[in-house]
Amino acid sequence: MLLIFGMLLVLIFGFLLSVILVEEMHPMERLGISYLLGFGIFTLLMFCYSTLGIKITLISTLTALGICITATLAFFKVFKRKISINLSGFIKSLFYLSRLEKIIVSVIAGLVVASFTISIYFPVYIWDALALYDFRAKIIAQIGFYTQIANNYVWFGGYPLFTSLSHTLVYIFGGNNPQFLYSSMYVSYIFVFYGALRQIVNRKVSLISTLLLATTPVFFDHSTFAYTNLPYSIFLSMGSIYIYVWLVKNKPFGYLILAAVMTGLSTWTRSTEPFWIINLIVLAILLLYKIKKYLLPLVVYLSTFLLIREPWNIVNNYILTDRKALIASNIEPVTSSYISIISRIPEWNRIVEIGVYIYKYIVVSWYPFLFLFLLCLLLSVKNFFHRYGSFFVLIIILYFCLLVFGTYLFTFSNVSWNEIPDSARRMSMFFMPLMIFYAGMVFDTFSSSTNFKKTRKIK
């Protein structure tokens, strides 16, 4: 019961945050984003107050949750927010689902039940989870700190603490198997993906697209064990999707801030991959169209993003002495090495080798979504530059360019770069939901008469 109570408090905190940011939202999207925001932001707060010397215990955690919920309720008055969820309308709409839509919902529900069954039945067993993510969680739950003991374990700083502190919450509240968290993330992703897409396309297309996401083997598989790849892909892809939703809905900063938070939380999950920079580049490109219109959004986005990203960097780069010494001994040679690599003539043999590697071990894993994405590009090529969807495609293309360029640089610093294809595939999981989202937008033009009524031409 205590575990259920604790998880519910985190969910309430995330729910209140989501209402402050975006007052009106699809009920399913609201539930999913509440879970993601609740665990993402609260684990970051746990890290911050633990670093300041407050021990992570059951009492301190309940107190922190109480303070967070009280503070968000205070912001309700400041921003004049009201909780309005049309549950009755949502429930009534379920009775008007077509036969195909009912089948889709049933299949998705079956996958959700299967995911929870597997994750609850099996304990934490994947090697990286046993050796790092879950091990750190048990140490933190026992000792109550991370920063104060991290120097005793040099490899503790390899990954940020989103997964470990989420596990810690489960242990503090009396649970013994935190793997259900990942099934919950899987369900939340399904809800958020559907809700975001439903704002743009009709219900049937939204459900079909969400079914494609839910049945993607790699996402279902990762919902049953404790790795960072699922939450990282969720946060990063939703960060990009919410930028698009912000453009389409043309409302103030709610969805833009939500996009910044999601992208920031991706760095709170995995900090080494630089894919977060792509959303900044896309916003900078928007800035070129209208400086007065997009300068303030860019500042708001960057400020919010850095507020999420920097606490972990500050601790690892300036507070942890062993980590600081490691960085100081390596940053200059690595930086000068990369500068010399970029300045020299490209090694075409190496580029060809990288291209073959990426195609064989990464791109092939995107089938059939890659073909679906390319088909949609062909179908929408006539009006490509007249919709904000062109910027969504730009995000995907820039992500891929960064993947190729990052792999090229990585080959110079790691001689065994081509011996970890599974890791490269897992790192690139987030491409598939972006392709599915774009395909859903394009096919909506052929399944209804809306013809993207909610999108606008770029002036």
Side-chain angles (χ1 to χ4, degrees), residues 186-203:
Y186 172 68
V187 177
S188 298
Y189 196 23
I190 290 172
F191 286 177
V192 171
F193 187 90
Y194 172 81
L197 188 58
R198 184 67 183 90
Q199 297 185 61
I200 304 166
V201 306
N202 65 60
R203 186 175 65 195

Side-chain angles (χ1 to χ4, degrees), residues 12-164:
I12 291 173
F13 172 57
F15 173 82
L16 296 175
L17 277 179
S18 71
V19 176
I20 290 173
L21 292 176
V22 181
E23 190 170 14
E24 295 181 5
M25 189 179 282
H26 191 281
M28 292 179 65
E29 184 182 7
R30 178 76 71 191
L31 180 60
I33 204 65
S34 298
Y35 179 88
L36 297 175
L37 277 178
F39 275 90
I41 298 299
F42 188 69
T43 53
L44 182 62
L45 291 175
M46 288 174 65
F47 170 69
C48 291
Y49 71 68
S50 171
T51 299
L52 295 175
I54 300 175
K55 191 174 183 180
I56 296 174
T57 64
L58 176 61
I59 298 301
S60 67
T61 301
L62 288 173
T63 302
L65 279 169
I67 293 173
C68 288
I69 291 173
T70 303
T72 51
L73 287 174
F75 276 106
F76 262 62
K77 290 187 177 181
V78 173
F79 293 103
K80 299 180 180 179
R81 290 288 190 262
K82 294 181 180 180
I83 299 176
S84 59
I85 302 177
N86 188 14
L87 280 179
S88 60
F90 174 68
I91 293 172
K92 287 180 181 179
S93 67
L94 297 177
F95 293 99
Y96 295 97
L97 295 175
S98 67
R99 180 175 297 180
L100 174 62
E101 291 170 338
K102 290 178 180 177
I103 292 173
I104 292 174
V105 171
S106 299
V107 172
I108 294 175
L111 289 169
V112 168
V113 172
S115 175
F116 273 106
T117 301
I118 296 170
S119 62
I120 292 173
Y121 180 79
F122 289 100
V124 175
Y125 64 94
I126 297 293
W127 173 249
D128 283 353
L130 285 171
L132 181 59
Y133 313 132
D134 195 59
F135 179 72
R136 288 191 307 188
K138 290 179 177 178
I139 295 297
I140 295 171
Q142 291 174 9
I143 299 177
F145 296 105
Y146 164 79
T147 306
Q148 291 81 351
I149 64 170
N151 280 328
N152 299 330
Y153 311 89
V154 176
W155 44 270
F156 253 38
Y159 287 92
L161 295 177
F162 169 73
T163 51
S164 294

Side-chain angles (χ1 to χ4, degrees), residues 1-12 39 42 58 61-62 65 169 173:
M1 288 299 296
L2 182 59
L3 177 61
I4 295 175
F5 177 69
M7 299 299 103
L8 185 60
L9 286 179
V10 177
L11 188 66
I12 291 173
F39 275 90
F42 188 69
L58 176 61
T61 301
L62 288 173
L65 279 169
L169 282 173
F173 287 119

